[in-house]
Amino acid sequence: MSKLDVWSKYRMNSGPADVANDVTAHAIKTGYRHVDSATVYRNESPSAAGMLGGGVSRSELFFTSKVPPRSVNYKDAKACVDESLRKTGLDYIDLYLIHAPFGGKSGRLGAWKALTEAVEEGKVKSIGVSNYGVHHLDELEEYIKITEEKEGAGKGGVLSINQVELHPWLARPDIVHWCEKRGVLLEAYSPLVRARRMNDARLVSLSKKHKKTPAQILVRWSLQKVGVTDRTINSQLLTRVTTQGFVPLPKSITHSRIEENANVYDFELDDEDMKQLETSEYAPSAWDPTTSTE
């Protein structure tokens, strides 16, 4: 495995609002460069302000927002992009996702078309989805293929990201395999399992072995989980990791924990450690729209 550090990069296929400014600025000063926001979080404006106030050039920063579940259709998704630009004051959004596979097939594909147009218009750099199961991904892949056959290469949009809950108790091998096969990066939300598994014996054992906190072990698991190198994937640079593990999105409003979660590049989990964290459980800590059949 190539050596990881906080400046490592991935290549893609294409907190409460009242504290968001402060914690985001602190995260940027600590070394983070990717800010994950969304309309439903109601923190786009303060998060962007904190990001820009961290003393780092805009070209080095990466801002994500999302079409909310209630707006998964063509008209509302187009309006969401414009509203995000207005709220943040940014000239462009680095990554825009469909937050959940709701709205029915026509709504999902309409929202995707709106995001594809936002890329063509220069409002958004890259696009993707969130909480998509394999059946949703198949649906989108078919749409992209048909659209490109009719209108030309690139006209169907480029799927860069699928953001889903991922951790040892929800490893989602089916979704991971689908995305890995196609060079679609996986962003792991709730990588710390909302602190519900910190006393798990396997995690505690590895924490003692590596002299790291359980949270740091879980972040490291995300970074190493896939571990496929030298694969060509299109679009922008995201967060800086040279191997193709997951992109973990740890969440905290505590300065010391923000720093702790970034301090994971001075150790590695070996094969036995990774095997120890294979639980075969399917235990979401949050909602699970990947199973939606609407």
Side-chain angles (χ1 to χ4, degrees):
M1 171 176 286
S2 301
K3 184 175 177 58
L4 298 171
D5 59 41
V6 76
W7 303 111
S8 300
K9 293 181 179 180
Y10 272 124
R11 187 176 295 275
M12 295 194 313
N13 270 1
S14 53
D18 60 339
V19 298
N21 188 315
D22 170 69
V23 299
T24 304
H26 183 75
I28 298 302
K29 293 173 183 176
T30 298
Y32 293 83
R33 293 295 179 264
H34 178 199
V35 176
D36 183 67
S37 184
T39 299
V40 296
Y41 302 161
R42 294 181 293 176
N43 67 0
E44 288 175 293
S45 179
S47 292
M51 180 184 76
L52 296 174
V56 174
S57 169
R58 173 68 180 99
S59 63
E60 291 295 311
L61 300 170
F62 197 96
F63 191 85
T64 296
S65 195
K66 308 176 186 75
V67 177
R70 67 179 183 277
S71 300
V72 180
N73 60 72
Y74 177 79
K75 180 180 178 181
D76 290 343
K78 285 188 75 71
C80 284
V81 172
D82 290 338
E83 184 65 5
S84 293
L85 290 169
R86 185 191 69 79
K87 287 180 178 178
T88 62
L90 299 174
D91 293 329
Y92 61 88
I93 306 293
D94 296 278
L95 176 66
Y96 221 101
L97 308 177
I98 298 173
H99 205 148
F102 298 156
K105 180 177 180 179
S106 63
R108 287 189 292 273
L109 298 182
W112 182 257
K113 177 177 171 60
L115 295 187
T116 299
E117 291 176 356
V119 173
E120 293 174 347
E121 294 163 0
K123 297 177 179 180
V124 173
K125 296 293 186 180
S126 298
I127 56 178
V129 296
S130 181
N131 295 300
Y132 267 45
V134 169
H135 55 300
H136 304 120
L137 294 166
D138 284 340
E139 174 189 272
L140 180 56
E141 183 176 55
E142 181 183 19
Y143 167 81
I144 292 172
K145 179 181 178 181
I146 291 172
T147 301
E148 293 193 343
E149 287 174 352
K150 292 180 178 178
E151 301 179 22
K155 291 299 183 179
V158 178
L159 175 61
S160 292
I161 290 284
N162 188 16
Q163 183 183 120
V164 293
E165 181 178 352
L166 286 165
H167 47 70
W169 298 271
L170 191 63
R172 301 189 189 277
D174 57 338
I175 295 174
V176 171
H177 176 74
W178 193 100
C179 292
E180 181 183 13
K181 183 178 179 181
R182 294 160 176 80
V184 176
L185 283 181
L186 283 152
E187 289 184 338
Y189 73 76
S190 296
L192 308 184
V193 207
R194 301 190 174 215
R196 294 173 183 172
R197 300 280 188 158
M198 296 306 180
N199 294 321
D200 182 279
R202 292 160 293 194
L203 193 55
V204 171
S205 172
L206 292 175
S207 178
K208 291 178 180 178
K209 174 182 175 179
H210 292 283
K211 295 181 174 56
K212 291 290 183 178
T213 67
Q216 289 171 317
I217 298 296
L218 289 173
V219 172
R220 190 72 207 189
W221 179 89
S222 283
L223 291 171
Q224 293 184 212
K225 179 54 181 170
V226 179
V228 177
T229 58
D230 299 324
R231 196 170 55 202
T232 301
I233 306 175
N234 304 326
S235 192
Q236 280 195 320
L237 297 176
L238 180 56
T239 194
R240 302 169 178 265
V241 182
T242 52
T243 55
Q244 299 298 326
F246 303 151
V247 179
L249 302 174
K251 175 183 175 182
S252 180
I253 61 172
T254 305
H255 284 201
S256 61
R257 288 178 180 168
I258 290 171
E259 295 163 11
E260 174 187 299
N261 292 338
N263 185 24
V264 294
Y265 301 101
D266 56 353
F267 79 106
E268 290 186 7
L269 300 176
D270 60 31
D271 291 343
E272 188 61 32
D273 296 337
M274 295 296 286
K275 185 176 181 180
Q276 187 171 325
L277 289 174
E278 291 179 4
T279 71
S280 300
E281 290 187 37
Y282 191 98
S285 67
W287 64 336
D288 189 16
T290 65
T291 62
S292 173
T293 57
E294 75 166 79

